[in-house]
Amino acid sequence: MTIRSQLLKGILDGCVLAVIEKETVYGYELSRKLQEVGLADVSEGTIYPVLLRLQKNKLITGKMIPSESGPNRKYYSLTEAGKDALNIISEEWNQLSVPINALLLKGEDSNESK
Amino acid sequence: MRASELIEQNNQKREFLTEENEKYYSNLMIYIRTRLSLSEQQSEEVLMEMLEHLIEGQHDGKTARDIFGNDPKGYADEIISQLPPEEKRDLVKFFGQITINLIGWFLVMRSIAILLIGLTQEVDTTEYILPTIILVALILLLVALGVKVIFTLINRSAFDENTNEKMQMIKAGLYGAVEFLVIIVASYFIKDFGPSFEFPWTVSLGIGAILLLISWLMKKSINYNPSAP
Protein backbone atom coordinates (compact mmCIF):
# COMPACT_ATOMS: atom_id res chain seq x y z
CA MET A 1 0.00 0.00 0.00
CA THR A 2 1.40 3.38 -0.96
CA ILE A 3 1.76 6.08 1.68
CA ARG A 4 -0.84 8.17 -0.07
CA SER A 5 -3.48 5.44 -0.02
CA GLN A 6 -2.71 4.76 3.64
CA LEU A 7 -3.27 8.42 4.48
CA LEU A 8 -6.38 8.51 2.34
CA LYS A 9 -7.92 5.49 4.01
CA GLY A 10 -8.71 7.41 7.17
CA ILE A 11 -10.28 10.38 5.46
CA LEU A 12 -12.01 8.70 2.50
CA ASP A 13 -15.30 8.34 4.41
CA GLY A 14 -15.31 12.11 4.89
CA CYS A 15 -14.58 12.73 1.20
CA VAL A 16 -17.43 10.44 0.12
CA LEU A 17 -19.84 12.11 2.58
CA ALA A 18 -18.80 15.54 1.27
CA VAL A 19 -19.55 14.59 -2.35
CA ILE A 20 -22.92 13.07 -1.44
CA GLU A 21 -23.85 16.15 0.63
CA LYS A 22 -23.70 18.34 -2.48
CA GLU A 23 -26.04 16.11 -4.49
CA THR A 24 -27.36 12.58 -4.63
CA VAL A 25 -25.02 10.44 -6.71
CA TYR A 26 -24.67 6.84 -7.85
CA GLY A 27 -21.49 4.77 -7.68
CA TYR A 28 -19.87 5.51 -11.02
CA GLU A 29 -20.68 9.23 -10.68
CA LEU A 30 -19.16 9.29 -7.21
CA SER A 31 -15.90 7.74 -8.35
CA ARG A 32 -15.70 10.21 -11.24
CA LYS A 33 -16.30 13.18 -8.92
CA LEU A 34 -13.56 12.00 -6.55
CA GLN A 35 -11.17 11.76 -9.48
CA GLU A 36 -12.22 15.17 -10.80
CA VAL A 37 -11.27 16.89 -7.55
CA GLY A 38 -7.84 15.29 -7.84
CA LEU A 39 -8.13 12.09 -5.84
CA ALA A 40 -7.00 10.10 -8.85
CA ASP A 41 -5.37 7.45 -6.65
CA VAL A 42 -8.65 6.21 -5.25
CA SER A 43 -9.11 3.01 -7.20
CA GLU A 44 -12.73 3.04 -8.33
CA GLY A 45 -13.75 -0.14 -6.59
CA THR A 46 -12.74 1.15 -3.15
CA ILE A 47 -15.89 3.26 -2.93
CA TYR A 48 -18.19 0.22 -2.63
CA PRO A 49 -16.91 -1.06 0.73
CA VAL A 50 -17.00 2.55 1.92
CA LEU A 51 -20.60 3.02 0.72
CA LEU A 52 -21.64 -0.23 2.43
CA ARG A 53 -20.00 0.84 5.69
CA LEU A 54 -21.65 4.27 5.60
CA GLN A 55 -25.03 2.61 4.96
CA LYS A 56 -24.50 0.16 7.81
CA ASN A 57 -23.71 3.08 10.13
CA LYS A 58 -26.84 4.84 8.85
CA LEU A 59 -24.91 7.90 7.64
CA ILE A 60 -26.28 7.55 4.11
CA THR A 61 -29.24 5.83 2.51
CA GLY A 62 -29.30 4.27 -0.94
CA LYS A 63 -32.25 3.77 -3.21
CA MET A 64 -32.10 1.44 -6.17
CA ILE A 65 -33.96 2.93 -9.10
CA PRO A 66 -34.88 0.37 -11.76
CA SER A 67 -35.08 1.32 -15.39
CA GLU A 68 -36.63 -0.48 -18.31
CA SER A 69 -33.78 -0.22 -20.78
CA GLY A 70 -30.93 1.63 -19.12
CA PRO A 71 -28.82 0.79 -16.10
CA ASN A 72 -30.13 0.27 -12.56
CA ARG A 73 -28.61 2.91 -10.38
CA LYS A 74 -28.49 3.18 -6.63
CA TYR A 75 -28.67 6.82 -5.61
CA TYR A 76 -27.22 7.86 -2.27
CA SER A 77 -28.18 10.73 0.00
CA LEU A 78 -27.06 11.85 3.46
CA THR A 79 -29.10 11.18 6.57
CA GLU A 80 -29.25 13.61 9.50
CA ALA A 81 -26.64 11.48 11.26
CA GLY A 82 -24.54 11.68 8.09
CA LYS A 83 -24.66 15.47 8.11
CA ASP A 84 -23.56 15.51 11.74
CA ALA A 85 -20.74 13.08 11.00
CA LEU A 86 -19.57 15.19 8.07
CA ASN A 87 -19.50 18.30 10.29
CA ILE A 88 -17.46 16.49 12.90
CA ILE A 89 -15.02 15.12 10.31
CA SER A 90 -14.59 18.60 8.75
CA GLU A 91 -13.92 20.13 12.17
CA GLU A 92 -11.46 17.43 13.13
CA TRP A 93 -9.70 17.81 9.79
CA ASN A 94 -9.36 21.56 10.31
CA GLN A 95 -7.94 21.07 13.76
CA LEU A 96 -5.48 18.47 12.52
CA SER A 97 -4.46 20.04 9.25
CA VAL A 98 -3.09 23.28 10.76
CA PRO A 99 -0.51 21.70 13.08
CA ILE A 100 0.31 18.96 10.55
CA ASN A 101 0.87 21.52 7.82
CA ALA A 102 3.03 23.54 10.19
CA LEU A 103 5.09 20.45 11.02
CA LEU A 104 5.42 18.82 7.66
CA LEU A 105 5.67 21.87 5.41
CA LYS A 106 8.33 23.57 7.60
CA GLY A 107 11.12 21.76 5.80
CA GLU A 108 9.73 22.82 2.45
CA ASP A 109 9.58 26.51 3.51
CA SER A 110 13.18 26.59 4.70
CA ASN A 111 14.33 24.91 1.49
CA GLU A 112 12.56 27.53 -0.54
CA SER A 113 14.03 30.40 1.45
CA LYS A 114 17.58 29.22 0.89
CA MET B 1 -36.32 -3.83 -6.41
CA ARG B 2 -36.54 -7.36 -5.10
CA ALA B 3 -33.50 -9.60 -4.88
CA SER B 4 -35.02 -12.06 -7.36
CA GLU B 5 -35.49 -9.28 -9.94
CA LEU B 6 -31.92 -8.11 -9.41
CA ILE B 7 -30.61 -11.65 -9.95
CA GLU B 8 -32.56 -11.99 -13.18
CA GLN B 9 -31.32 -8.65 -14.51
CA ASN B 10 -27.81 -9.49 -13.38
CA ASN B 11 -27.93 -12.61 -15.56
CA GLN B 12 -28.98 -10.57 -18.58
CA LYS B 13 -26.51 -7.74 -18.04
CA ARG B 14 -23.48 -9.98 -17.59
CA GLU B 15 -23.82 -10.75 -21.31
CA PHE B 16 -22.50 -7.25 -22.04
CA LEU B 17 -19.14 -7.98 -20.42
CA THR B 18 -16.03 -8.97 -22.31
CA GLU B 19 -14.79 -12.49 -21.65
CA GLU B 20 -12.02 -11.36 -19.31
CA ASN B 21 -14.26 -9.00 -17.33
CA GLU B 22 -17.01 -11.58 -17.15
CA LYS B 23 -14.65 -14.11 -15.59
CA TYR B 24 -13.39 -11.62 -13.01
CA TYR B 25 -16.89 -10.46 -12.12
CA SER B 26 -18.44 -13.94 -12.01
CA ASN B 27 -15.83 -15.17 -9.54
CA LEU B 28 -16.55 -12.17 -7.33
CA MET B 29 -20.28 -12.81 -7.62
CA ILE B 30 -20.09 -16.53 -6.81
CA TYR B 31 -17.83 -15.82 -3.85
CA ILE B 32 -20.26 -13.27 -2.39
CA ARG B 33 -23.45 -15.19 -3.21
CA THR B 34 -22.28 -18.42 -1.56
CA ARG B 35 -22.07 -16.63 1.80
CA LEU B 36 -25.58 -17.59 2.81
CA SER B 37 -25.49 -15.72 6.12
CA LEU B 38 -25.38 -12.30 4.41
CA SER B 39 -28.42 -10.19 3.57
CA GLU B 40 -29.49 -11.34 0.11
CA GLN B 41 -31.09 -8.02 -0.76
CA GLN B 42 -27.98 -6.00 0.15
CA SER B 43 -25.64 -8.49 -1.55
CA GLU B 44 -27.60 -8.35 -4.80
CA GLU B 45 -27.78 -4.55 -4.71
CA VAL B 46 -24.04 -4.10 -4.36
CA LEU B 47 -23.43 -6.81 -7.01
CA MET B 48 -25.73 -4.92 -9.39
CA GLU B 49 -23.92 -1.64 -8.63
CA MET B 50 -20.56 -3.22 -9.34
CA LEU B 51 -21.85 -4.78 -12.56
CA GLU B 52 -23.26 -1.46 -13.80
CA HIS B 53 -19.98 0.23 -12.86
CA LEU B 54 -18.02 -2.38 -14.78
CA ILE B 55 -20.24 -2.04 -17.86
CA GLU B 56 -19.87 1.74 -17.79
CA GLY B 57 -16.12 1.47 -17.21
CA GLN B 58 -15.82 -1.00 -20.06
CA HIS B 59 -17.23 1.67 -22.39
CA ASP B 60 -14.41 3.95 -21.24
CA GLY B 61 -11.85 1.25 -22.01
CA LYS B 62 -11.27 0.09 -18.43
CA THR B 63 -10.96 -3.53 -17.31
CA ALA B 64 -12.27 -5.16 -14.15
CA ARG B 65 -8.69 -5.21 -12.87
CA ASP B 66 -8.39 -1.43 -13.34
CA ILE B 67 -11.60 -0.87 -11.42
CA PHE B 68 -11.58 -3.44 -8.62
CA GLY B 69 -7.82 -4.04 -8.31
CA ASN B 70 -5.46 -6.96 -8.77
CA ASP B 71 -6.60 -8.86 -5.70
CA PRO B 72 -10.21 -9.90 -6.39
CA LYS B 73 -10.39 -12.18 -3.34
CA GLY B 74 -9.11 -9.45 -1.01
CA TYR B 75 -11.58 -7.02 -2.54
CA ALA B 76 -14.48 -9.47 -2.18
CA ASP B 77 -13.52 -10.09 1.46
CA GLU B 78 -13.64 -6.34 2.05
CA ILE B 79 -17.14 -6.16 0.56
CA ILE B 80 -18.29 -9.17 2.61
CA SER B 81 -16.96 -7.66 5.84
CA GLN B 82 -19.19 -4.62 5.28
CA LEU B 83 -22.37 -6.45 4.22
CA PRO B 84 -25.05 -6.78 6.93
CA PRO B 85 -26.16 -10.28 7.99
CA GLU B 86 -29.53 -11.62 6.86
CA GLU B 87 -32.20 -10.85 9.41
CA LYS B 88 -33.14 -13.79 11.64
CA ARG B 89 -36.81 -13.39 10.75
CA ASP B 90 -35.99 -13.84 7.07
CA LEU B 91 -33.76 -16.84 7.73
CA VAL B 92 -36.58 -18.55 9.67
CA LYS B 93 -39.01 -17.81 6.83
CA PHE B 94 -36.51 -19.06 4.26
CA PHE B 95 -35.78 -22.37 5.99
CA GLY B 96 -39.44 -22.79 6.96
CA GLN B 97 -40.42 -22.47 3.33
CA ILE B 98 -37.81 -25.02 2.21
CA THR B 99 -38.86 -27.46 4.95
CA ILE B 100 -42.53 -27.24 4.03
CA ASN B 101 -41.62 -27.64 0.37
CA LEU B 102 -39.52 -30.76 1.05
CA ILE B 103 -42.19 -32.38 3.21
CA GLY B 104 -44.78 -31.54 0.56
CA TRP B 105 -42.76 -33.31 -2.15
CA PHE B 106 -42.09 -36.18 0.24
CA LEU B 107 -45.83 -36.76 0.72
CA VAL B 108 -46.63 -36.43 -2.99
CA MET B 109 -43.87 -38.89 -3.90
CA ARG B 110 -45.10 -41.27 -1.21
CA SER B 111 -48.60 -41.29 -2.64
CA ILE B 112 -47.30 -41.86 -6.16
CA ALA B 113 -45.08 -44.71 -4.93
CA ILE B 114 -47.98 -46.36 -3.10
CA LEU B 115 -50.15 -45.99 -6.18
CA LEU B 116 -47.53 -47.54 -8.50
CA ILE B 117 -46.57 -50.39 -6.21
CA GLY B 118 -50.26 -50.92 -5.48
CA LEU B 119 -50.79 -51.84 -9.14
CA THR B 120 -49.07 -55.19 -8.60
CA GLN B 121 -49.31 -55.93 -4.92
CA GLU B 122 -50.95 -55.05 -1.64
CA VAL B 123 -49.32 -52.04 0.09
CA ASP B 124 -49.26 -51.43 3.82
CA THR B 125 -50.03 -47.75 4.31
CA THR B 126 -49.64 -47.72 8.08
CA GLU B 127 -47.30 -44.98 9.30
CA TYR B 128 -45.60 -45.05 12.68
CA ILE B 129 -45.50 -41.52 14.02
CA LEU B 130 -42.19 -41.48 15.90
CA PRO B 131 -40.01 -43.34 13.35
CA THR B 132 -41.43 -41.13 10.57
CA ILE B 133 -40.60 -37.96 12.49
CA ILE B 134 -37.05 -39.20 13.13
CA LEU B 135 -36.55 -40.07 9.46
CA VAL B 136 -37.94 -36.77 8.16
CA ALA B 137 -35.79 -34.81 10.65
CA LEU B 138 -32.74 -36.80 9.50
CA ILE B 139 -33.45 -36.04 5.84
CA LEU B 140 -33.91 -32.31 6.55
CA LEU B 141 -30.70 -32.20 8.57
CA LEU B 142 -28.72 -33.95 5.82
CA VAL B 143 -30.16 -31.67 3.13
CA ALA B 144 -29.25 -28.56 5.18
CA LEU B 145 -25.76 -29.94 5.77
CA GLY B 146 -25.45 -30.80 2.08
CA VAL B 147 -26.34 -27.26 1.02
CA LYS B 148 -23.75 -25.90 3.43
CA VAL B 149 -21.04 -28.31 2.26
CA ILE B 150 -21.65 -27.65 -1.44
CA PHE B 151 -21.80 -23.87 -1.01
CA THR B 152 -18.57 -23.94 0.96
CA LEU B 153 -16.95 -26.01 -1.82
CA ILE B 154 -18.03 -23.47 -4.44
CA ASN B 155 -17.03 -20.54 -2.22
CA ARG B 156 -13.50 -21.93 -1.68
CA SER B 157 -12.93 -22.57 -5.36
CA ALA B 158 -14.20 -19.18 -6.59
CA PHE B 159 -10.76 -17.62 -7.09
CA ASP B 160 -8.76 -20.79 -7.43
CA GLU B 161 -7.31 -20.88 -10.95
CA ASN B 162 -6.45 -24.56 -10.59
CA THR B 163 -9.92 -25.68 -9.64
CA ASN B 164 -10.67 -29.01 -11.17
CA GLU B 165 -14.36 -28.85 -11.94
CA LYS B 166 -14.63 -32.59 -12.36
CA MET B 167 -13.14 -33.17 -8.91
CA GLN B 168 -15.68 -30.74 -7.43
CA MET B 169 -18.54 -32.54 -9.14
CA ILE B 170 -17.27 -35.89 -7.89
CA LYS B 171 -16.98 -34.53 -4.35
CA ALA B 172 -20.53 -33.14 -4.44
CA GLY B 173 -21.85 -36.32 -6.03
CA LEU B 174 -20.09 -38.46 -3.44
CA TYR B 175 -21.63 -36.40 -0.69
CA GLY B 176 -25.09 -36.92 -2.20
CA ALA B 177 -24.50 -40.68 -2.50
CA VAL B 178 -23.35 -40.96 1.13
CA GLU B 179 -26.40 -38.98 2.25
CA PHE B 180 -28.69 -41.27 0.31
CA LEU B 181 -27.02 -44.32 1.80
CA VAL B 182 -27.39 -42.96 5.34
CA ILE B 183 -31.11 -42.41 4.78
CA ILE B 184 -31.66 -45.91 3.37
CA VAL B 185 -29.66 -47.58 6.14
CA ALA B 186 -31.45 -45.50 8.78
CA SER B 187 -34.90 -46.32 7.42
CA TYR B 188 -33.95 -50.01 7.39
CA PHE B 189 -32.77 -50.05 10.99
CA ILE B 190 -35.31 -47.75 12.62
CA LYS B 191 -37.90 -50.20 13.83
CA ASP B 192 -41.60 -49.56 13.69
CA PHE B 193 -42.67 -48.66 17.20
CA GLY B 194 -45.06 -46.40 19.07
CA PRO B 195 -48.43 -45.16 17.93
CA SER B 196 -49.40 -45.59 14.32
CA PHE B 197 -52.19 -44.56 11.99
CA GLU B 198 -53.58 -45.43 8.60
CA PHE B 199 -52.28 -42.97 5.98
CA PRO B 200 -53.74 -43.81 2.56
CA TRP B 201 -52.25 -42.34 -0.62
CA THR B 202 -55.22 -40.02 -1.25
CA VAL B 203 -54.71 -38.24 2.07
CA SER B 204 -50.93 -38.16 1.50
CA LEU B 205 -51.44 -36.59 -1.92
CA GLY B 206 -53.95 -34.06 -0.58
CA ILE B 207 -51.77 -32.89 2.32
CA GLY B 208 -48.67 -32.87 0.10
CA ALA B 209 -50.42 -30.68 -2.47
CA ILE B 210 -51.59 -28.27 0.22
CA LEU B 211 -48.05 -28.02 1.66
CA LEU B 212 -46.61 -27.35 -1.80
CA LEU B 213 -49.21 -24.62 -2.30
CA ILE B 214 -48.34 -23.07 1.07
CA SER B 215 -44.62 -23.14 0.29
CA TRP B 216 -45.27 -21.56 -3.11
CA LEU B 217 -47.32 -18.77 -1.49
CA MET B 218 -44.59 -18.29 1.15
CA LYS B 219 -41.94 -17.99 -1.53
CA LYS B 220 -43.98 -15.38 -3.34
CA SER B 221 -44.47 -13.36 -0.17
CA ILE B 222 -40.76 -13.58 0.76
CA ASN B 223 -39.81 -12.21 -2.64
CA TYR B 224 -42.52 -9.62 -2.57
CA ASN B 225 -41.56 -8.28 0.83
CA PRO B 226 -37.84 -7.53 0.91
CA SER B 227 -36.62 -6.74 4.40
CA ALA B 228 -34.29 -4.02 3.19
CA PRO B 229 -35.56 -0.56 2.33
Side-chain angles (χ1 to χ4, degrees), chain B residues 6-162:
Chain B
L6 287 168
I7 292 171
E8 199 178 304
Q9 292 209 7
N10 193 313
N11 292 339
Q12 292 165 7
K13 293 193 178 219
R14 276 205 311 284
E15 309 261 323
F16 296 120
L17 297 177
T18 63
E19 199 186 328
E20 191 199 349
N21 287 345
E22 200 272 332
K23 191 155 187 264
Y24 186 110
Y25 179 82
S26 289
N27 281 335
L28 217 87
M29 181 185 76
I30 290 167
Y31 190 70
I32 292 172
R33 275 190 185 160
T34 44
R35 293 292 177 99
L36 287 177
S37 60
L38 300 175
S39 160
E40 190 191 18
Q41 182 70 29
Q42 296 298 318
S43 302
E44 289 306 325
E45 283 191 12
V46 79
L47 281 170
M48 180 53 79
E49 282 184 281
M50 283 155 56
L51 179 56
E52 295 285 8
H53 194 128
L54 185 52
I55 292 172
E56 230 172 315
Q58 206 174 260
H59 281 299
D60 297 341
K62 286 177 242 175
T63 68
R65 259 169 211 286
D66 296 334
I67 295 170
F68 302 115
N70 287 321
D71 177 19
K73 188 170 181 294
Y75 182 69
D77 281 331
E78 225 178 306
I79 293 274
I80 284 168
S81 73
Q82 300 301 338
L83 275 170
E86 188 74 285
E87 280 183 40
K88 281 232 171 59
R89 203 165 35 111
D90 291 339
L91 275 177
V92 170
K93 263 196 217 160
F94 178 69
F95 285 110
Q97 188 255 325
I98 290 178
T99 305
I100 291 175
N101 186 279
L102 276 174
I103 295 177
W105 277 117
F106 190 76
L107 291 180
V108 169
M109 296 308 248
R110 177 181 177 275
S111 64
I112 293 173
I114 292 173
L115 200 61
L116 286 180
I117 300 168
L119 291 176
T120 54
Q121 65 197 72
E122 195 71 18
V123 189
D124 179 16
T125 56
T126 314
E127 284 292 336
Y128 292 82
I129 296 172
L130 289 175
T132 306
I133 288 175
I134 292 171
L135 211 58
V136 169
L138 184 71
I139 292 172
L140 286 174
L141 193 77
L142 286 174
V143 168
L145 211 68
V147 169
K148 179 112 183 74
V149 166
I150 289 170
F151 271 57
T152 309
L153 269 178
I154 299 171
N155 181 280
R156 286 216 190 115
S157 66
F159 294 110
D160 190 353
E161 294 288 324
N162 309 316

Side-chain angles (χ1 to χ4, degrees), chain A:
Chain A
M1 205 191 263
T2 63
I3 289 177
R4 192 189 293 197
S5 59
Q6 275 187 54
L7 287 172
L8 210 61
K9 210 167 180 162
I11 197 68
L12 193 57
D13 287 24
C15 298
V16 170
L17 286 174
V19 173
I20 297 175
E21 192 206 19
K22 291 203 183 76
E23 56 184 311
T24 57
V25 289
Y26 64 94
Y28 199 79
E29 222 180 350
L30 173 65
S31 77
R32 220 171 35 216
K33 294 218 151 120
L34 288 173
Q35 293 189 338
E36 271 168 20
V37 298
L39 296 170
D41 277 27
V42 182
S43 109
E44 294 178 28
T46 27
I47 60 170
Y48 291 104
V50 173
L51 286 170
L52 285 172
R53 183 168 58 241
L54 293 175
Q55 281 178 91
K56 203 157 72 172
N57 297 336
K58 303 210 166 26
L59 301 182
I60 59 173
T61 53
K63 198 168 188 315
M64 195 111 211
I65 313 266
S67 63
E68 283 294 313
S69 53
N72 297 305
R73 284 168 178 164
K74 193 168 174 181
Y75 287 92
Y76 292 98
S77 48
L78 284 197
T79 62
E80 286 303 315
K83 284 175 194 159
D84 294 344
L86 179 58
N87 285 335
I88 293 170
I89 292 172
S90 308
E91 254 170 58
E92 292 290 332
W93 178 255
N94 277 335
Q95 283 176 21
L96 278 174
S97 63
V98 174
I100 292 173
N101 277 343
L103 262 177
L104 295 180
L105 299 180
K106 214 168 128 194
E108 223 169 75
D109 283 345
S110 55
N111 280 342
E112 278 169 14
S113 58
K114 267 177 198 171

